[in-house]
Amino acid sequence: MVKPIESTPTEGPTTAPPPAARPRRLTRRRLLKAGFIGVPAVLGLAAAGTGIVYAVHDVDTVGKVDFDQPLAIPPLAPARTDGGRRVFDLQATAGTRQFRPGRPTTTWGFDNGFLGPTVRANRGDTVQLNVRNGLDVPTTVHWHGMHLPAVMDGGPHQLIGPGAVWQPTWTIDQPAATLWYHPHPHDQTALHVYRGMAGLLLIDDPEQTAASRLPTEYGVDDIPVIVQDKNFDGDNQFDAGWSRLGNVGILGDTVLVNGTVGPYLDVVTERVRLRILNGSTARVYNFGFADDRSFALVGTDGGLLSAPHATDRVQLSPGERAEIVVTLTPGERVVLRSYPPELGLDPLNERFTGGDDALDVLQLRAGAQLRPSPQPAATLAPAPALQAAADRVDRRFEMSGEQINGLVMDMGRIDFGVVRDTTEVWEVVSPFPRPHNFHVHGAQFQVLSVNGAPPPPELGGWKDTIYNPPEVTFRLAVRFDRHADRNVPFMFHCHLLLHEDKGMMGQFVVLEPGETVGTPGHSGHSTAPR
Ligand code: C2O
Ligand code: CU
Ligand code: CU
């Protein structure tokens, strides 16, 4: 049995520092580089009874992972054509997986019991997904990052009962991108995702792909990398307990990539494209290679960047994606690692929220001979260019505690309406030193500014989820094209799934010009804050 999601609140009081704590000027990485590890100060803070807990709360698997399992590649979902539609079947089922020696782990997943096939379609395709719920509890399937009508979005209002089939359909009209799908049932999302329900949803755009000269052979040089952290209990079952000290949700000590523990990938080409999804419930990863080599960041949540960005780190909070291209030399081995993330918190809060953790993720093993790969094009895609008045803010979202603007999710409450085919400027800020991120459904957004400055290169492309360090104000240009429905809401929320489930989420509708906000058809679910 998988344990219930809130099974093990752990030791001691929450130790949130006063709200007035200032954002750090020096990043943790710079401090580390400069040799200021900061441990004595932290131990001083933690001495009053939390010292032992502090010592226990970091995960370091660097150099300790045996990369002895070939990386599983999720199969491509078969598609058939029916009346001009590309039709895919997905079935949610319970299953088991042999992750480790001993008893198999009870899981949930699509089709084969853990994760799901990669759904791949072209821009311009009309797709239909037949989603059958073979579980004994209701669930939903949300198409994270997709522009579509709200009724097809798979949020908490589109529940699929046990045994039922849901058949959303829409026409894909957005740039090539690495999206994903996962359940979104009201206050149950963390559990469903943690048990294994998630898969990739790839949009292709053949013209753009050819021009970008990026690797495209799925499973050969274009590799899905779904990163999830798990804790196993003594009986090999997923342990869904989480610590009240961090209060971010489950922080696992075992990293799975595409469901593989200790994965290696045999690389056969000079360049390999990794489509990395942070499919974890709470953990923020700061990906880089063990030798600190530089790689090209070529895509983010909603599509390719305008140009490759050379870097040695890419940080992803839950739900975010990055496409990177890494160059290898024949015969070498190099480990993709997650370095301690830059959460922007004080040392104590960082410690309890995974900010000190370092995890070995995936070993790349280059063959003795590598097929040549072209250099990616210098220009990959048009940069987002939403026409937004930079000096006007239409809405502000304050992420604090487990609420947005002081409110807890209520399925019967629509927070606001936006008018179809208009661009709004949204300001998002997390005032306190706790980790949150911000995700919006039904759109990709353009980051206009970060604390008033132009966005860094990694935030220069289309995004649907951003990490919110404390006291950093993000201005986002958001546009909702085409699909209006005054009664069926889209969600905006923190994608730390514990927070989402506790109600750190709100709802909006897209209106035709002149319309007013309607009422959600589906309400009456429990909305009490917990
Ligand atoms: Cu990936 Cu509302 O979620
Ligand atoms: Cu989403
Ligand atoms: Cu949050």
Side-chain angles (χ1 to χ4, degrees), residues 453-488:
E458 65 273 18
L459 296 180
W462 292 112
K463 292 286 292 168
D464 58 49
T465 308
I466 41 160
Y467 179 71
N468 295 117
E471 297 186 63
V472 175
T473 300
F474 291 85
R475 277 198 189 171
L476 314 177
V478 198
R479 184 178 178 86
F480 295 88
D481 290 327
R482 302 192 308 281
H483 310 292
D485 188 330
R486 62 190 289 266
N487 295 316
V488 182

PDB file of all heavy atoms in Angstrom, residues 453-488:
ATOM      1  N   ALA A 453      14.162  44.692 -14.025  1.00  0.00           N
ATOM      2  CA  ALA A 453      15.228  44.514 -15.019  1.00  0.00           C
ATOM      3  C   ALA A 453      14.760  43.548 -16.106  1.00  0.00           C
ATOM      4  O   ALA A 453      13.885  42.717 -15.858  1.00  0.00           O
ATOM      5  CB  ALA A 453      16.479  43.972 -14.345  1.00  0.00           C
ATOM      6  N   PRO A 454      15.357  43.623 -17.274  1.00  0.00           N
ATOM      7  CA  PRO A 454      14.997  42.657 -18.327  1.00  0.00           C
ATOM      8  C   PRO A 454      15.292  41.236 -17.858  1.00  0.00           C
ATOM      9  O   PRO A 454      16.200  41.024 -17.051  1.00  0.00           O
ATOM     10  CB  PRO A 454      15.898  43.033 -19.500  1.00  0.00           C
ATOM     11  CG  PRO A 454      16.474  44.365 -19.191  1.00  0.00           C
ATOM     12  CD  PRO A 454      16.403  44.556 -17.703  1.00  0.00           C
ATOM     13  N   PRO A 455      14.520  40.258 -18.317  1.00  0.00           N
ATOM     14  CA  PRO A 455      14.719  38.885 -17.834  1.00  0.00           C
ATOM     15  C   PRO A 455      16.066  38.326 -18.280  1.00  0.00           C
ATOM     16  O   PRO A 455      16.574  38.690 -19.334  1.00  0.00           O
ATOM     17  CB  PRO A 455      13.583  38.106 -18.505  1.00  0.00           C
ATOM     18  CG  PRO A 455      13.200  38.911 -19.697  1.00  0.00           C
ATOM     19  CD  PRO A 455      13.461  40.341 -19.332  1.00  0.00           C
ATOM     20  N   PRO A 456      16.660  37.436 -17.468  1.00  0.00           N
ATOM     21  CA  PRO A 456      17.889  36.748 -17.891  1.00  0.00           C
ATOM     22  C   PRO A 456      17.568  35.823 -19.072  1.00  0.00           C
ATOM     23  O   PRO A 456      16.399  35.504 -19.293  1.00  0.00           O
ATOM     24  CB  PRO A 456      18.279  35.948 -16.649  1.00  0.00           C
ATOM     25  CG  PRO A 456      17.016  35.748 -15.905  1.00  0.00           C
ATOM     26  CD  PRO A 456      16.160  36.952 -16.179  1.00  0.00           C
ATOM     27  N   PRO A 457      18.601  35.381 -19.818  1.00  0.00           N
ATOM     28  CA  PRO A 457      18.359  34.586 -21.029  1.00  0.00           C
ATOM     29  C   PRO A 457      17.465  33.364 -20.787  1.00  0.00           C
ATOM     30  O   PRO A 457      16.640  33.026 -21.629  1.00  0.00           O
ATOM     31  CB  PRO A 457      19.763  34.139 -21.456  1.00  0.00           C
ATOM     32  CG  PRO A 457      20.699  35.082 -20.794  1.00  0.00           C
ATOM     33  CD  PRO A 457      20.036  35.613 -19.570  1.00  0.00           C
ATOM     34  N   GLU A 458      17.616  32.716 -19.634  1.00  0.00           N
ATOM     35  CA  GLU A 458      16.832  31.500 -19.411  1.00  0.00           C
ATOM     36  C   GLU A 458      15.342  31.794 -19.197  1.00  0.00           C
ATOM     37  O   GLU A 458      14.527  30.893 -19.235  1.00  0.00           O
ATOM     38  CB  GLU A 458      17.400  30.675 -18.248  1.00  0.00           C
ATOM     39  CG  GLU A 458      17.344  31.304 -16.890  1.00  0.00           C
ATOM     40  CD  GLU A 458      18.560  32.197 -16.557  1.00  0.00           C
ATOM     41  OE1 GLU A 458      19.295  32.606 -17.500  1.00  0.00           O
ATOM     42  OE2 GLU A 458      18.759  32.484 -15.366  1.00  0.00           O
ATOM     43  N   LEU A 459      15.012  33.048 -18.991  1.00  0.00           N
ATOM     44  CA  LEU A 459      13.589  33.415 -18.886  1.00  0.00           C
ATOM     45  C   LEU A 459      13.149  34.221 -20.103  1.00  0.00           C
ATOM     46  O   LEU A 459      12.125  34.899 -20.078  1.00  0.00           O
ATOM     47  CB  LEU A 459      13.321  34.208 -17.604  1.00  0.00           C
ATOM     48  CG  LEU A 459      13.562  33.456 -16.292  1.00  0.00           C
ATOM     49  CD1 LEU A 459      13.257  34.342 -15.094  1.00  0.00           C
ATOM     50  CD2 LEU A 459      12.715  32.185 -16.226  1.00  0.00           C
ATOM     51  N   GLY A 460      13.923  34.150 -21.180  1.00  0.00           N
ATOM     52  CA  GLY A 460      13.618  34.955 -22.358  1.00  0.00           C
ATOM     53  C   GLY A 460      12.641  34.310 -23.328  1.00  0.00           C
ATOM     54  O   GLY A 460      12.169  34.967 -24.253  1.00  0.00           O
ATOM     55  N   GLY A 461      12.345  33.027 -23.136  1.00  0.00           N
ATOM     56  CA  GLY A 461      11.428  32.341 -24.054  1.00  0.00           C
ATOM     57  C   GLY A 461      10.052  32.152 -23.429  1.00  0.00           C
ATOM     58  O   GLY A 461       9.756  32.698 -22.370  1.00  0.00           O
ATOM     59  N   TRP A 462       9.225  31.348 -24.096  1.00  0.00           N
ATOM     60  CA  TRP A 462       7.877  31.114 -23.577  1.00  0.00           C
ATOM     61  C   TRP A 462       7.935  30.282 -22.301  1.00  0.00           C
ATOM     62  O   TRP A 462       8.646  29.294 -22.230  1.00  0.00           O
ATOM     63  CB  TRP A 462       7.032  30.389 -24.618  1.00  0.00           C
ATOM     64  CG  TRP A 462       6.725  31.221 -25.820  1.00  0.00           C
ATOM     65  CD1 TRP A 462       7.195  31.028 -27.088  1.00  0.00           C
ATOM     66  CD2 TRP A 462       5.864  32.365 -25.864  1.00  0.00           C
ATOM     67  NE1 TRP A 462       6.687  31.999 -27.915  1.00  0.00           N
ATOM     68  CE2 TRP A 462       5.866  32.825 -27.198  1.00  0.00           C
ATOM     69  CE3 TRP A 462       5.098  33.051 -24.915  1.00  0.00           C
ATOM     70  CZ2 TRP A 462       5.132  33.942 -27.607  1.00  0.00           C
ATOM     71  CZ3 TRP A 462       4.365  34.160 -25.320  1.00  0.00           C
ATOM     72  CH2 TRP A 462       4.386  34.591 -26.646  1.00  0.00           C
ATOM     73  N   LYS A 463       7.173  30.703 -21.310  1.00  0.00           N
ATOM     74  CA  LYS A 463       7.142  30.020 -20.017  1.00  0.00           C
ATOM     75  C   LYS A 463       5.686  29.811 -19.604  1.00  0.00           C
ATOM     76  O   LYS A 463       4.808  30.609 -19.975  1.00  0.00           O
ATOM     77  CB  LYS A 463       7.824  30.891 -18.956  1.00  0.00           C
ATOM     78  CG  LYS A 463       9.332  31.059 -19.134  1.00  0.00           C
ATOM     79  CD  LYS A 463      10.112  29.809 -18.760  1.00  0.00           C
ATOM     80  CE  LYS A 463      10.038  29.523 -17.264  1.00  0.00           C
ATOM     81  NZ  LYS A 463      10.567  28.160 -16.977  1.00  0.00           N
ATOM     82  N   ASP A 464       5.470  28.752 -18.822  1.00  0.00           N
ATOM     83  CA  ASP A 464       4.156  28.620 -18.176  1.00  0.00           C
ATOM     84  C   ASP A 464       4.286  28.456 -16.674  1.00  0.00           C
ATOM     85  O   ASP A 464       3.282  28.441 -15.959  1.00  0.00           O
ATOM     86  CB  ASP A 464       3.334  27.479 -18.792  1.00  0.00           C
ATOM     87  CG  ASP A 464       4.012  26.122 -18.728  1.00  0.00           C
ATOM     88  OD1 ASP A 464       4.491  25.745 -17.643  1.00  0.00           O
ATOM     89  OD2 ASP A 464       4.042  25.420 -19.763  1.00  0.00           O
ATOM     90  N   THR A 465       5.512  28.337 -16.183  1.00  0.00           N
ATOM     91  CA  THR A 465       5.766  28.142 -14.754  1.00  0.00           C
ATOM     92  C   THR A 465       7.072  28.867 -14.424  1.00  0.00           C
ATOM     93  O   THR A 465       8.051  28.729 -15.161  1.00  0.00           O
ATOM     94  CB  THR A 465       5.938  26.635 -14.435  1.00  0.00           C
ATOM     95  OG1 THR A 465       4.820  25.905 -14.974  1.00  0.00           O
ATOM     96  CG2 THR A 465       6.030  26.375 -12.946  1.00  0.00           C
ATOM     97  N   ILE A 466       7.083  29.640 -13.330  1.00  0.00           N
ATOM     98  CA  ILE A 466       8.347  30.261 -12.909  1.00  0.00           C
ATOM     99  C   ILE A 466       8.514  30.103 -11.402  1.00  0.00           C
ATOM    100  O   ILE A 466       7.553  30.182 -10.640  1.00  0.00           O
ATOM    101  CB  ILE A 466       8.437  31.787 -13.194  1.00  0.00           C
ATOM    102  CG1 ILE A 466       7.117  32.470 -12.882  1.00  0.00           C
ATOM    103  CG2 ILE A 466       8.947  32.083 -14.585  1.00  0.00           C
ATOM    104  CD1 ILE A 466       7.287  33.943 -12.676  1.00  0.00           C
ATOM    105  N   TYR A 467       9.758  29.919 -11.015  1.00  0.00           N
ATOM    106  CA  TYR A 467      10.078  29.879  -9.588  1.00  0.00           C
ATOM    107  C   TYR A 467      10.052  31.312  -9.038  1.00  0.00           C
ATOM    108  O   TYR A 467      10.535  32.241  -9.686  1.00  0.00           O
ATOM    109  CB  TYR A 467      11.460  29.257  -9.374  1.00  0.00           C
ATOM    110  CG  TYR A 467      11.827  29.217  -7.905  1.00  0.00           C
ATOM    111  CD1 TYR A 467      11.169  28.337  -7.051  1.00  0.00           C
ATOM    112  CD2 TYR A 467      12.765  30.094  -7.373  1.00  0.00           C
ATOM    113  CE1 TYR A 467      11.456  28.326  -5.697  1.00  0.00           C
ATOM    114  CE2 TYR A 467      13.063  30.075  -6.012  1.00  0.00           C
ATOM    115  CZ  TYR A 467      12.398  29.192  -5.182  1.00  0.00           C
ATOM    116  OH  TYR A 467      12.669  29.184  -3.835  1.00  0.00           O
ATOM    117  N   ASN A 468       9.512  31.459  -7.831  1.00  0.00           N
ATOM    118  CA  ASN A 468       9.389  32.774  -7.205  1.00  0.00           C
ATOM    119  C   ASN A 468      10.267  32.895  -5.977  1.00  0.00           C
ATOM    120  O   ASN A 468       9.828  32.582  -4.869  1.00  0.00           O
ATOM    121  CB  ASN A 468       7.935  33.032  -6.758  1.00  0.00           C
ATOM    122  CG  ASN A 468       6.989  33.102  -7.920  1.00  0.00           C
ATOM    123  OD1 ASN A 468       6.090  32.295  -8.042  1.00  0.00           O
ATOM    124  ND2 ASN A 468       7.198  34.070  -8.778  1.00  0.00           N
ATOM    125  N   PRO A 469      11.501  33.380  -6.130  1.00  0.00           N
ATOM    126  CA  PRO A 469      12.286  33.657  -4.927  1.00  0.00           C
ATOM    127  C   PRO A 469      11.607  34.783  -4.152  1.00  0.00           C
ATOM    128  O   PRO A 469      10.889  35.596  -4.748  1.00  0.00           O
ATOM    129  CB  PRO A 469      13.649  34.121  -5.453  1.00  0.00           C
ATOM    130  CG  PRO A 469      13.602  33.960  -6.934  1.00  0.00           C
ATOM    131  CD  PRO A 469      12.175  33.845  -7.345  1.00  0.00           C
ATOM    132  N   PRO A 470      11.821  34.850  -2.832  1.00  0.00           N
ATOM    133  CA  PRO A 470      11.120  35.868  -2.058  1.00  0.00           C
ATOM    134  C   PRO A 470      11.485  37.281  -2.486  1.00  0.00           C
ATOM    135  O   PRO A 470      12.633  37.572  -2.807  1.00  0.00           O
ATOM    136  CB  PRO A 470      11.572  35.593  -0.623  1.00  0.00           C
ATOM    137  CG  PRO A 470      12.752  34.707  -0.724  1.00  0.00           C
ATOM    138  CD  PRO A 470      12.660  33.978  -2.016  1.00  0.00           C
ATOM    139  N   GLU A 471      10.470  38.123  -2.471  1.00  0.00           N
ATOM    140  CA  GLU A 471      10.628  39.560  -2.718  1.00  0.00           C
ATOM    141  C   GLU A 471      11.183  39.879  -4.094  1.00  0.00           C
ATOM    142  O   GLU A 471      11.807  40.930  -4.280  1.00  0.00           O
ATOM    143  CB  GLU A 471      11.512  40.200  -1.640  1.00  0.00           C
ATOM    144  CG  GLU A 471      10.885  40.097  -0.258  1.00  0.00           C
ATOM    145  CD  GLU A 471      11.695  40.855   0.772  1.00  0.00           C
ATOM    146  OE1 GLU A 471      11.806  42.084   0.644  1.00  0.00           O
ATOM    147  OE2 GLU A 471      12.221  40.209   1.694  1.00  0.00           O
ATOM    148  N   VAL A 472      10.994  38.995  -5.028  1.00  0.00           N
ATOM    149  CA  VAL A 472      11.380  39.297  -6.403  1.00  0.00           C
ATOM    150  C   VAL A 472      10.094  39.441  -7.213  1.00  0.00           C
ATOM    151  O   VAL A 472       9.255  38.539  -7.225  1.00  0.00           O
ATOM    152  CB  VAL A 472      12.270  38.189  -6.995  1.00  0.00           C
ATOM    153  CG1 VAL A 472      12.565  38.449  -8.475  1.00  0.00           C
ATOM    154  CG2 VAL A 472      13.568  38.066  -6.203  1.00  0.00           C
ATOM    155  N   THR A 473       9.930  40.585  -7.831  1.00  0.00           N
ATOM    156  CA  THR A 473       8.699  40.849  -8.558  1.00  0.00           C
ATOM    157  C   THR A 473       8.872  40.499 -10.038  1.00  0.00           C
ATOM    158  O   THR A 473       9.761  41.020 -10.700  1.00  0.00           O
ATOM    159  CB  THR A 473       8.317  42.337  -8.425  1.00  0.00           C
ATOM    160  OG1 THR A 473       8.135  42.621  -7.035  1.00  0.00           O
ATOM    161  CG2 THR A 473       7.036  42.641  -9.172  1.00  0.00           C
ATOM    162  N   PHE A 474       8.019  39.599 -10.486  1.00  0.00           N
ATOM    163  CA  PHE A 474       8.008  39.218 -11.898  1.00  0.00           C
ATOM    164  C   PHE A 474       6.847  39.909 -12.591  1.00  0.00           C
ATOM    165  O   PHE A 474       5.729  39.874 -12.098  1.00  0.00           O
ATOM    166  CB  PHE A 474       7.826  37.702 -12.040  1.00  0.00           C
ATOM    167  CG  PHE A 474       9.010  36.910 -11.569  1.00  0.00           C
ATOM    168  CD1 PHE A 474       9.154  36.582 -10.230  1.00  0.00           C
ATOM    169  CD2 PHE A 474       9.991  36.511 -12.469  1.00  0.00           C
ATOM    170  CE1 PHE A 474      10.243  35.862  -9.790  1.00  0.00           C
ATOM    171  CE2 PHE A 474      11.092  35.784 -12.029  1.00  0.00           C
ATOM    172  CZ  PHE A 474      11.227  35.467 -10.697  1.00  0.00           C
ATOM    173  N   ARG A 475       7.113  40.510 -13.740  1.00  0.00           N
ATOM    174  CA  ARG A 475       6.019  40.988 -14.582  1.00  0.00           C
ATOM    175  C   ARG A 475       5.913  40.087 -15.796  1.00  0.00           C
ATOM    176  O   ARG A 475       6.888  39.872 -16.509  1.00  0.00           O
ATOM    177  CB  ARG A 475       6.270  42.420 -15.035  1.00  0.00           C
ATOM    178  CG  ARG A 475       5.828  43.380 -13.976  1.00  0.00           C
ATOM    179  CD  ARG A 475       5.632  44.769 -14.512  1.00  0.00           C
ATOM    180  NE  ARG A 475       5.411  45.626 -13.357  1.00  0.00           N
ATOM    181  CZ  ARG A 475       5.367  46.937 -13.407  1.00  0.00           C
ATOM    182  NH1 ARG A 475       5.512  47.550 -14.577  1.00  0.00           N
ATOM    183  NH2 ARG A 475       5.166  47.632 -12.309  1.00  0.00           N
ATOM    184  N   LEU A 476       4.719  39.586 -15.997  1.00  0.00           N
ATOM    185  CA  LEU A 476       4.472  38.622 -17.060  1.00  0.00           C
ATOM    186  C   LEU A 476       3.440  39.195 -18.025  1.00  0.00           C
ATOM    187  O   LEU A 476       2.444  39.777 -17.593  1.00  0.00           O
ATOM    188  CB  LEU A 476       3.896  37.321 -16.478  1.00  0.00           C
ATOM    189  CG  LEU A 476       4.583  36.758 -15.225  1.00  0.00           C
ATOM    190  CD1 LEU A 476       3.836  35.515 -14.735  1.00  0.00           C
ATOM    191  CD2 LEU A 476       6.046  36.416 -15.533  1.00  0.00           C
ATOM    192  N   ALA A 477       3.694  39.024 -19.303  1.00  0.00           N
ATOM    193  CA  ALA A 477       2.666  39.341 -20.302  1.00  0.00           C
ATOM    194  C   ALA A 477       1.968  38.035 -20.655  1.00  0.00           C
ATOM    195  O   ALA A 477       2.611  37.066 -21.041  1.00  0.00           O
ATOM    196  CB  ALA A 477       3.307  39.962 -21.538  1.00  0.00           C
ATOM    197  N   VAL A 478       0.651  38.034 -20.473  1.00  0.00           N
ATOM    198  CA  VAL A 478      -0.122  36.808 -20.679  1.00  0.00           C
ATOM    199  C   VAL A 478      -1.220  37.109 -21.683  1.00  0.00           C
ATOM    200  O   VAL A 478      -1.935  38.113 -21.554  1.00  0.00           O
ATOM    201  CB  VAL A 478      -0.777  36.321 -19.364  1.00  0.00           C
ATOM    202  CG1 VAL A 478      -1.188  34.861 -19.484  1.00  0.00           C
ATOM    203  CG2 VAL A 478       0.154  36.495 -18.182  1.00  0.00           C
ATOM    204  N   ARG A 479      -1.361  36.230 -22.651  1.00  0.00           N
ATOM    205  CA  ARG A 479      -2.383  36.441 -23.670  1.00  0.00           C
ATOM    206  C   ARG A 479      -3.186  35.159 -23.835  1.00  0.00           C
ATOM    207  O   ARG A 479      -2.631  34.065 -23.916  1.00  0.00           O
ATOM    208  CB  ARG A 479      -1.718  36.798 -24.994  1.00  0.00           C
ATOM    209  CG  ARG A 479      -2.712  37.120 -26.088  1.00  0.00           C
ATOM    210  CD  ARG A 479      -2.009  37.511 -27.375  1.00  0.00           C
ATOM    211  NE  ARG A 479      -2.982  37.766 -28.414  1.00  0.00           N
ATOM    212  CZ  ARG A 479      -3.566  38.950 -28.588  1.00  0.00           C
ATOM    213  NH1 ARG A 479      -3.244  39.969 -27.827  1.00  0.00           N
ATOM    214  NH2 ARG A 479      -4.479  39.101 -29.530  1.00  0.00           N
ATOM    215  N   PHE A 480      -4.492  35.303 -23.843  1.00  0.00           N
ATOM    216  CA  PHE A 480      -5.369  34.152 -24.027  1.00  0.00           C
ATOM    217  C   PHE A 480      -6.043  34.292 -25.373  1.00  0.00           C
ATOM    218  O   PHE A 480      -6.906  35.135 -25.551  1.00  0.00           O
ATOM    219  CB  PHE A 480      -6.377  34.048 -22.884  1.00  0.00           C
ATOM    220  CG  PHE A 480      -5.689  33.761 -21.591  1.00  0.00           C
ATOM    221  CD1 PHE A 480      -5.216  34.795 -20.800  1.00  0.00           C
ATOM    222  CD2 PHE A 480      -5.448  32.463 -21.216  1.00  0.00           C
ATOM    223  CE1 PHE A 480      -4.530  34.534 -19.630  1.00  0.00           C
ATOM    224  CE2 PHE A 480      -4.754  32.191 -20.045  1.00  0.00           C
ATOM    225  CZ  PHE A 480      -4.304  33.222 -19.255  1.00  0.00           C
ATOM    226  N   ASP A 481      -5.602  33.471 -26.317  1.00  0.00           N
ATOM    227  CA  ASP A 481      -6.124  33.562 -27.676  1.00  0.00           C
ATOM    228  C   ASP A 481      -7.321  32.642 -27.843  1.00  0.00           C
ATOM    229  O   ASP A 481      -7.408  31.600 -27.216  1.00  0.00           O
ATOM    230  CB  ASP A 481      -5.048  33.121 -28.680  1.00  0.00           C
ATOM    231  CG  ASP A 481      -3.920  34.137 -28.767  1.00  0.00           C
ATOM    232  OD1 ASP A 481      -4.193  35.334 -28.604  1.00  0.00           O
ATOM    233  OD2 ASP A 481      -2.771  33.710 -28.994  1.00  0.00           O
ATOM    234  N   ARG A 482      -8.190  33.015 -28.734  1.00  0.00           N
ATOM    235  CA  ARG A 482      -9.197  32.130 -29.343  1.00  0.00           C
ATOM    236  C   ARG A 482     -10.279  31.593 -28.413  1.00  0.00           C
ATOM    237  O   ARG A 482     -11.446  31.810 -28.667  1.00  0.00           O
ATOM    238  CB  ARG A 482      -8.532  30.917 -30.023  1.00  0.00           C
ATOM    239  CG  ARG A 482      -7.544  31.269 -31.096  1.00  0.00           C
ATOM    240  CD  ARG A 482      -7.141  30.057 -31.927  1.00  0.00           C
ATOM    241  NE  ARG A 482      -6.685  28.921 -31.155  1.00  0.00           N
ATOM    242  CZ  ARG A 482      -5.477  28.803 -30.638  1.00  0.00           C
ATOM    243  NH1 ARG A 482      -4.588  29.751 -30.804  1.00  0.00           N
ATOM    244  NH2 ARG A 482      -5.145  27.744 -29.944  1.00  0.00           N
ATOM    245  N   HIS A 483      -9.882  30.879 -27.344  1.00  0.00           N
ATOM    246  CA  HIS A 483     -10.892  30.070 -26.666  1.00  0.00           C
ATOM    247  C   HIS A 483     -11.509  30.814 -25.489  1.00  0.00           C
ATOM    248  O   HIS A 483     -10.830  31.072 -24.510  1.00  0.00           O
ATOM    249  CB  HIS A 483     -10.265  28.785 -26.142  1.00  0.00           C
ATOM    250  CG  HIS A 483      -9.464  28.047 -27.167  1.00  0.00           C
ATOM    251  ND1 HIS A 483     -10.036  27.432 -28.258  1.00  0.00           N
ATOM    252  CD2 HIS A 483      -8.127  27.847 -27.282  1.00  0.00           C
ATOM    253  CE1 HIS A 483      -9.090  26.868 -28.989  1.00  0.00           C
ATOM    254  NE2 HIS A 483      -7.927  27.104 -28.413  1.00  0.00           N
ATOM    255  N   ALA A 484     -12.786  31.138 -25.585  1.00  0.00           N
ATOM    256  CA  ALA A 484     -13.467  31.784 -24.463  1.00  0.00           C
ATOM    257  C   ALA A 484     -14.545  30.849 -23.915  1.00  0.00           C
ATOM    258  O   ALA A 484     -15.133  30.058 -24.655  1.00  0.00           O
ATOM    259  CB  ALA A 484     -14.094  33.106 -24.915  1.00  0.00           C
ATOM    260  N   ASP A 485     -14.755  30.904 -22.609  1.00  0.00           N
ATOM    261  CA  ASP A 485     -15.841  30.144 -21.974  1.00  0.00           C
ATOM    262  C   ASP A 485     -16.083  30.787 -20.621  1.00  0.00           C
ATOM    263  O   ASP A 485     -15.245  30.682 -19.718  1.00  0.00           O
ATOM    264  CB  ASP A 485     -15.420  28.678 -21.828  1.00  0.00           C
ATOM    265  CG  ASP A 485     -16.568  27.785 -21.361  1.00  0.00           C
ATOM    266  OD1 ASP A 485     -17.461  28.299 -20.630  1.00  0.00           O
ATOM    267  OD2 ASP A 485     -16.562  26.594 -21.722  1.00  0.00           O
ATOM    268  N   ARG A 486     -17.211  31.451 -20.472  1.00  0.00           N
ATOM    269  CA  ARG A 486     -17.416  32.231 -19.246  1.00  0.00           C
ATOM    270  C   ARG A 486     -17.687  31.356 -18.022  1.00  0.00           C
ATOM    271  O   ARG A 486     -17.602  31.824 -16.881  1.00  0.00           O
ATOM    272  CB  ARG A 486     -18.541  33.253 -19.432  1.00  0.00           C
ATOM    273  CG  ARG A 486     -19.897  32.644 -19.736  1.00  0.00           C
ATOM    274  CD  ARG A 486     -20.903  33.701 -20.134  1.00  0.00           C
ATOM    275  NE  ARG A 486     -21.286  34.535 -18.999  1.00  0.00           N
ATOM    276  CZ  ARG A 486     -22.361  34.288 -18.251  1.00  0.00           C
ATOM    277  NH1 ARG A 486     -23.153  33.251 -18.500  1.00  0.00           N
ATOM    278  NH2 ARG A 486     -22.648  35.083 -17.232  1.00  0.00           N
ATOM    279  N   ASN A 487     -17.992  30.093 -18.255  1.00  0.00           N
ATOM    280  CA  ASN A 487     -18.356  29.220 -17.126  1.00  0.00           C
ATOM    281  C   ASN A 487     -17.275  28.217 -16.709  1.00  0.00           C
ATOM    282  O   ASN A 487     -17.344  27.677 -15.612  1.00  0.00           O
ATOM    283  CB  ASN A 487     -19.616  28.415 -17.479  1.00  0.00           C
ATOM    284  CG  ASN A 487     -20.811  29.310 -17.666  1.00  0.00           C
ATOM    285  OD1 ASN A 487     -21.036  30.230 -16.870  1.00  0.00           O
ATOM    286  ND2 ASN A 487     -21.564  29.084 -18.730  1.00  0.00           N
ATOM    287  N   VAL A 488     -16.368  27.932 -17.604  1.00  0.00           N
ATOM    288  CA  VAL A 488     -15.385  26.891 -17.274  1.00  0.00           C
ATOM    289  C   VAL A 488     -14.029  27.558 -17.029  1.00  0.00           C
ATOM    290  O   VAL A 488     -13.455  28.147 -17.928  1.00  0.00           O
ATOM    291  CB  VAL A 488     -15.275  25.844 -18.403  1.00  0.00           C
ATOM    292  CG1 VAL A 488     -14.269  24.750 -18.011  1.00  0.00           C
ATOM    293  CG2 VAL A 488     -16.636  25.236 -18.699  1.00  0.00           C
TER     294      VAL A 488
END
